Amino acid sequence: MKSRKLIDKSPFKTTLYRWVINSFMPYVGAGIKVDSISADFRAIDVSMKLRWYNRNYVGTHFGGSLYAMTDPFLMLMVIQNLGKDYIVWDKAASIEFVKPGTGRMQVQFRLSETELNNIRQSAEQGKVLPEFNLEIRDEMQNLVAIVHKTLYVKKK
């Protein structure tokens, strides 16, 4: 089996990624903050406080900002873990609003070795479209929205 060279996963790199993403103007403008990225790029925590500039007409979180909290983190995590031998893109997404969001919103991204192995194995046969469900929760851990994401992964 051919050896896979993974992208450098040093703590410096994750700190640099976090700084770059937190400086990206669309996220700054929406009030989105990456709180942490694990050194192995398998866990990312993102939050967003309710501010005057990201609230909608009725005083709750703007739905587009809730979705933006989830974009493009899964794609980045899969790219970092599969390495340069794979093509990875966001293919589709939808959001289901469960209740109005106020206060600080949070979403946790987790990618297991099992999920990565399934993607690798499936990509050996051709393109694969892994699906993920992400839960956006408020400070009290109440479910606010569910984002359904589909990635496109293909071995080069």
Side-chain angles (χ1 to χ4, degrees), residues 34-89:
V34 176
D35 298 314
S36 66
I37 302 176
S38 67
D40 62 2
F41 278 89
R42 291 194 188 163
I44 297 179
D45 294 333
V46 177
S47 65
M48 177 176 59
K49 292 181 182 176
L50 183 63
R51 309 266 190 200
W52 65 269
Y53 52 83
N54 67 2
R55 76 179 67 213
N56 62 23
Y57 185 75
V58 294
T60 62
H61 277 284
F62 174 63
S65 296
L66 289 170
Y67 170 74
M69 289 178 68
T70 67
D71 189 39
F73 300 108
L74 278 170
M75 182 184 74
L76 293 175
M77 293 167 74
V78 172
I79 288 171
Q80 289 295 319
N81 279 278
L82 293 184
K84 296 182 179 186
D85 293 335
Y86 294 84
I87 298 166
V88 182
W89 288 97

Side-chain angles (χ1 to χ4, degrees), residues 126-143:
K127 74 175 181 183
V128 60
L129 305 173
E131 296 182 6
F132 301 88
N133 291 317
L134 302 163
E135 296 180 344
I136 300 174
R137 296 185 173 272
D138 64 17
E139 298 168 292
M140 305 302 291
Q141 295 304 306
N142 297 311
L143 184 61

Side-chain angles (χ1 to χ4, degrees), residues 8 10-25 27-28 32-39 41 43-47 72-73 76-77 80 104 107 109:
D8 175 32
S10 67
F12 172 75
K13 185 168 185 174
T14 57
T15 301
L16 178 63
Y17 256 72
R18 194 164 68 80
W19 181 83
V20 168
I21 292 169
N22 284 336
S23 301
F24 187 50
M25 287 312 296
Y27 292 135
V28 171
I32 297 168
K33 181 181 177 203
V34 176
D35 298 314
S36 66
I37 302 176
S38 67
F41 278 89
I44 297 179
D45 294 333
V46 177
S47 65
F73 300 108
L76 293 175
M77 293 167 74
Q80 289 295 319
R104 184 174 176 265
V107 62
F109 301 85

